[in-house]
Amino acid sequence: MGNVTSIVERLRAAGCVFAEEEAELLTAAAAASGDAGRLEALVARRVQGEPLEHVVGWAEFCGLRVEVGAGAFVPRRRSEFLAGEAVALARPGAVVLDLCCGVGALGAAVASQVPGGVELHAADIDPAALVYARRNVAPYGGAVWEGDLYGALPAELLGRVDVLVVNAPYVPTGEIGLMPPEARVHEPLVSLDGGEDGLDVHRRIAAQALRWLAPGGHLLIETSARQAPLTASALTAGGLAVRAATSEELHATVVVGRAPAGQGAGEGGGEGR
């Protein structure tokens, strides 16, 4: 007990608000490793400011234990709202694409909740994140693709995606410095920086979405309440019928675009850098 009390005190001194809960998770992670001396190393990493999820190797997301690790974007609780909106639109057997997937948490969450399962694809430009994505989507038979947005995808997906779920970076470049150190120091900039107004990636995704969506398919993008009108404008310009959904509980905003029912796939491959 004394050892646990000492850990809690060290975590509190480092600014950890939920020090008791974190001490339990760190102790459990050390015990699971089978290395009696590992606890001190884990506590030291957390005290030095590394995200708890990186230290213990997983994050809870939509009831799943999603693998994460050093250098990877940590799934946010508010993104559970995005996952829920996607689940509501995904029929059994739907083709689901988690674009800018990071560790694949959104795709795994959707696949785990759709009765009968889905055809799951996940894509990201960050090879370090995809190491974890492959593990997280494997239980659902997911395919993982590496590359820049649609440029990562096989041409066979053109015009077939029923649900395109996206948590792309949307923090304006000038506001990165205002983020908590856990994010701006320990997560990759490519997962955070959305350009001057935060919506560069949203515009790129919206501009090409119709080519990849099935007739009547949906694109869902997480954004902020402040940026939602601009995200919606980008989807409208891309030819989609647009609506917004919000969760006051999770402080989450999602913009949803629907492809025309009679729309067909475009020709050629995807874009790339």
Side-chain angles (χ1 to χ4, degrees):
M1 178 63 74
N3 188 38
V4 173
T5 301
S6 172
I7 292 171
V8 170
E9 290 174 351
R10 290 172 63 190
L11 293 172
R12 281 180 179 156
C16 300
V17 177
F18 304 104
E20 292 85 355
E21 292 87 341
E22 293 197 11
E24 292 180 5
L25 290 169
L26 291 167
T27 301
S33 73
D35 181 354
R38 185 166 173 76
L39 180 58
E40 173 56 32
L42 296 181
V43 173
R45 289 171 60 189
R46 180 60 180 141
V47 167
Q48 290 164 9
E50 193 169 345
L52 177 66
E53 295 84 359
H54 285 178
V55 177
V56 300
W58 61 274
E60 183 178 350
F61 188 78
C62 291
L64 302 178
R65 181 177 286 207
V66 178
E67 289 193 41
V68 297
F73 180 83
V74 177
R76 310 297 200 247
R77 183 166 182 262
R78 66 174 172 268
S79 298
E80 292 182 351
F81 180 65
L82 173 59
E85 292 293 298
V87 169
L89 294 170
R91 304 178 311 277
V95 177
V96 174
L97 170 60
D98 181 358
L99 194 62
C100 302
C101 71
V103 300
L106 281 166
V110 174
S112 72
Q113 295 182 44
V114 176
V118 300
E119 179 185 328
L120 177 60
H121 297 264
D124 200 283
I125 197 171
D126 182 6
L130 293 182
V131 170
Y132 300 101
R134 290 184 181 94
R135 300 174 191 166
N136 290 323
V137 305
Y140 313 102
V144 174
W145 310 97
E146 180 182 338
D148 184 33
L149 300 183
Y150 302 111
L153 305 177
E156 289 77 9
L157 282 180
L158 279 165
R160 291 190 57 234
V161 178
D162 298 301
V163 177
L164 172 50
V165 59
V166 182
N167 184 16
Y170 57 91
V171 179
T173 302
E175 297 180 17
I176 295 292
L178 304 177
M179 298 186 73
E182 286 188 8
R184 58 181 166 82
V185 174
H186 295 281
E187 294 180 327
L189 189 61
V190 71
S191 297
L192 305 174
D193 191 346
E196 185 175 357
D197 67 354
L199 300 177
D200 286 357
V201 184
H202 286 195
R203 294 188 186 94
R204 291 182 60 207
I205 291 169
Q208 296 288 328
L210 270 184
R211 302 177 63 228
W212 297 89
L213 287 172
H218 292 85
L219 164 62
L220 304 92
I221 299 186
E222 178 177 299
T223 189
S224 70
R226 171 171 60 94
Q227 295 162 301
L230 291 177
T231 299
S233 294
L235 269 62
T236 299
L240 305 177
V242 178
R243 64 179 174 85
T246 60
S247 167
E248 292 186 7
E249 178 189 358
L250 295 176
H251 304 287
T253 301
V254 173
V255 173
V256 182
R258 184 178 187 275
Q263 158 251 326
E267 295 180 357
E271 61 176 271
R273 285 181 187 165

